[in-house]
Amino acid sequence: MAGTELLPIAFFEGRFVPIQEAKVSIATHALQYGTGVFAGIRGYLDRDGQTINIFRLPDHTRRLLQSARLLRAELPYDAESLGELIVELVRQNAPRTDVYIRPFVYKADLEIGPKLKGVRDELAIYMLPMQEYLPITHPIRLMTTSWMRTVDVVIPSRAKVCGAYVNSAFAKDQAMECGFDDAIMLNHHGKVAEGSAANLFIVRNGTLITTPVTADILEGITRRTILEFAHDLGIPVEVREIDRSELYICDEAFLCGTGVQISPIGNIDGRTVGTGEIGPITARLQQLYLAVVRGEDTPYRHYLTRVAVAREAGAR
């Protein structure tokens, strides 16, 4: 899980500052109306112990700016310069463990009224230590929640809109109070969408299956990575609608995302998935993913932005 302490330096409204100074007013528009978007980016401590491997940083910065466009947010950064800020923040914090990086674009004016245009936009970025968000070494238990995933014409799920995550909170709360680890959400057609905050894959008869980006899901970067891995490993793939009943007869299932990584599912709605253990396709994909992010010699090293963080002896 995430650590309890934020790392000491943040980027806040144009400056690198101590995290204690990165504060907004109680009257901030984004706090009142959820008018912000964010990204979740993982940095993994390399096997050398002196480098943080930021996974698919350009993809994350591009998606953040696309999300910002949906909120009509205008920033003086492009994807490349935003990535440079994140790299510098990692350098200044010099973490010696896996980290989670949270860029946040938000409507910053102290203004009443739910609107988008004409409200000042700002950027903040902070970091915190993070290990497992959900277990990856043993299967988890999920339930299909009664809360429906938000529809694109209500709040687009393809963007990480802050206010939309109340939808995820309702779903996860219900699942956890019923004794499960997380939730599976259906869309307005009654088809499977995704987890509360992660994309979903199932395996049937040796074929890896996931829902399309038009099924009210986040356009996941880890999801896209898994599809690429599967193609390269020769695993058949289908991107299509998934019926709820398929969850009960599939051979394997897993959640994927920046936070959850690849988290195997052993039980859905009280029904055992496959053998109840980590399936062979899930295991192959997870093993490759972890090898890539830890900096092992793979064909996917170009997905890593490597940041040297070794401190000199005696440094803080």
Side-chain angles (χ1 to χ4, degrees):
M1 291 295 291
T4 56
E5 294 186 3
L6 302 179
L7 293 177
I9 305 298
F11 181 83
F12 180 69
E13 299 188 353
R15 299 184 300 127
F16 291 97
V17 300
I19 189 67
Q20 297 86 349
E21 296 180 16
K23 297 179 180 179
V24 298
S25 166
I26 192 174
T28 301
H29 196 273
L31 179 61
Q32 298 295 322
Y33 299 110
T35 49
V37 294
F38 65 92
I41 307 170
R42 268 194 187 262
Y44 290 86
L45 186 64
D46 191 271
R47 297 169 66 192
D48 65 13
Q50 300 180 0
T51 306
I52 293 294
N53 297 325
I54 308 176
F55 186 61
R56 300 195 72 159
L57 177 59
D59 298 276
H60 280 286
T61 55
R62 283 193 294 267
R63 188 177 66 181
L64 177 65
L65 293 176
Q66 288 172 0
S67 294
R69 286 174 60 190
L70 289 175
L71 289 194
R72 308 183 81 165
E74 298 181 1
L75 295 172
Y77 308 103
D78 58 15
E80 183 177 357
S81 59
L82 183 54
E84 291 169 355
L85 285 178
I86 290 170
V87 167
E88 180 58 27
L89 183 63
V90 172
R91 286 198 186 104
Q92 292 199 24
N93 279 303
R96 302 310 295 269
T97 186
D98 295 352
V99 292
Y100 185 78
I101 305 161
R102 174 56 63 88
F104 175 41
V105 178
Y106 58 101
K107 298 291 180 180
D109 277 342
L110 313 184
E111 184 171 330
I112 296 297
K115 65 176 185 176
L116 299 175
K117 193 172 183 179
V119 184
R120 178 171 56 93
D121 304 300
E122 287 289 358
L123 170 70
I125 314 170
Y126 66 92
M127 299 170 51
L128 67 161
M130 177 177 274
Q131 299 299 322
E132 291 183 3
Y133 176 76
L134 286 173
I136 64 173
T137 57
H138 65 268
I140 59 175
R141 301 175 67 248
L142 301 188
M143 72 167 283
T144 307
T145 178
S146 60
W147 292 96
M148 183 179 72
R149 173 57 85 209
T150 54
V151 185
D152 188 70
V153 293
V154 177
I155 302 177
S157 295
R158 61 172 29 89
K160 296 176 77 74
V161 178
C162 298
Y165 277 74
V166 172
N167 181 234
S168 298
F170 283 144
K172 183 151 188 170
D173 255 27
Q174 183 185 39
M176 293 184 69
E177 288 179 0
C178 292
F180 294 85
D181 297 300
D182 211 321
I184 294 173
M185 305 188 73
L186 306 180
N187 61 28
H188 66 294
H189 295 299
K191 304 293 185 178
V192 173
E194 57 186 346
S196 67
N199 294 130
L200 174 72
F201 283 83
I202 65 171
V203 176
R204 293 192 63 189
N205 302 318
T207 298
L208 186 67
I209 306 168
T210 194
T211 51
V213 295
T214 52
D216 293 320
I217 68 169
L218 178 70
E219 295 186 351
I221 292 167
T222 309
R223 171 187 176 276
R224 197 159 73 240
T225 303
I226 296 303
L227 291 172
E228 180 180 355
F229 286 176
H231 176 270
D232 294 347
L233 292 171
I235 300 169
V237 171
E238 292 181 4
V239 178
R240 61 166 175 80
E241 291 184 332
I242 297 175
D243 289 327
R244 178 176 179 173
S245 60
E246 290 187 90
L247 301 174
Y248 304 150
I249 61 174
C250 65
D251 305 311
E252 303 178 42
F254 60 87
L255 295 177
C256 75
T258 298
V260 305
Q261 304 174 97
I262 298 177
S263 184
I265 302 168
N267 187 286
I268 298 175
D269 294 342
R271 296 165 168 86
T272 300
V273 174
T275 64
E277 302 300 325
I278 301 176
I281 289 179
T282 304
R284 288 179 71 191
L285 294 168
Q286 186 188 78
Q287 182 180 19
L288 178 55
Y289 176 83
L290 293 175
V292 172
V293 299
R294 293 295 176 199
E296 294 185 20
D297 188 14
T298 73
Y300 309 98
R301 285 177 65 87
H302 61 283
Y303 283 144
L304 302 180
T305 299
R306 295 170 54 81
V307 184
V309 293
R311 297 188 182 98
E312 296 179 1
R316 179 175 64 84

Short mmCIF file of all heavy atoms in Angstrom, two decimals, residues 13 18 126 188 212 233 269:
data_model
loop_
_atom_site.label_atom_id
_atom_site.label_comp_id
_atom_site.label_asym_id
_atom_site.label_seq_id
_atom_site.Cartn_x
_atom_site.Cartn_y
_atom_site.Cartn_z
N GLU A 13 2.25 25.16 -8.48
CA GLU A 13 1.95 26.43 -9.13
C GLU A 13 3.23 27.16 -9.57
O GLU A 13 3.44 28.33 -9.28
CB GLU A 13 1.08 27.30 -8.21
CG GLU A 13 -0.26 26.61 -7.91
CD GLU A 13 -1.25 27.50 -7.17
OE1 GLU A 13 -0.88 28.61 -6.76
OE2 GLU A 13 -2.42 27.06 -7.02
N PRO A 18 8.69 22.99 -0.41
CA PRO A 18 8.43 21.96 0.60
C PRO A 18 6.95 21.55 0.56
O PRO A 18 6.08 22.39 0.35
CB PRO A 18 8.79 22.66 1.92
CG PRO A 18 9.73 23.74 1.53
CD PRO A 18 9.28 24.21 0.17
N TYR A 126 3.01 15.85 -6.70
CA TYR A 126 3.63 15.36 -5.48
C TYR A 126 3.93 13.88 -5.62
O TYR A 126 3.52 13.23 -6.58
CB TYR A 126 2.77 15.65 -4.25
CG TYR A 126 1.44 14.91 -4.20
CD1 TYR A 126 1.33 13.68 -3.57
CD2 TYR A 126 0.29 15.46 -4.77
CE1 TYR A 126 0.13 13.01 -3.52
CE2 TYR A 126 -0.91 14.80 -4.72
CZ TYR A 126 -1.00 13.57 -4.09
OH TYR A 126 -2.19 12.90 -4.04
N HIS A 188 -23.73 1.21 -18.64
CA HIS A 188 -25.17 1.42 -18.73
C HIS A 188 -25.85 0.42 -19.65
O HIS A 188 -27.08 0.34 -19.67
CB HIS A 188 -25.47 2.86 -19.18
CG HIS A 188 -25.04 3.18 -20.57
ND1 HIS A 188 -23.72 3.22 -20.96
CD2 HIS A 188 -25.76 3.49 -21.68
CE1 HIS A 188 -23.64 3.54 -22.23
NE2 HIS A 188 -24.85 3.70 -22.71
N PRO A 212 -13.53 -2.82 -24.78
CA PRO A 212 -13.01 -1.74 -25.62
C PRO A 212 -13.04 -0.40 -24.89
O PRO A 212 -13.72 -0.24 -23.87
CB PRO A 212 -13.97 -1.73 -26.81
CG PRO A 212 -15.25 -2.25 -26.26
CD PRO A 212 -14.87 -3.27 -25.22
N LEU A 233 3.95 -12.19 -27.16
CA LEU A 233 4.09 -13.54 -26.61
C LEU A 233 3.27 -14.58 -27.38
O LEU A 233 3.30 -15.77 -27.04
CB LEU A 233 3.66 -13.55 -25.13
CG LEU A 233 4.56 -12.78 -24.15
CD1 LEU A 233 3.90 -12.68 -22.79
CD2 LEU A 233 5.93 -13.45 -24.04
N ASP A 269 -17.86 -12.62 -7.06
CA ASP A 269 -19.23 -12.83 -6.56
C ASP A 269 -19.39 -14.19 -5.89
O ASP A 269 -20.42 -14.86 -6.03
CB ASP A 269 -20.25 -12.67 -7.69
CG ASP A 269 -20.32 -11.25 -8.24
OD1 ASP A 269 -19.85 -10.33 -7.54
OD2 ASP A 269 -20.82 -11.06 -9.36
#
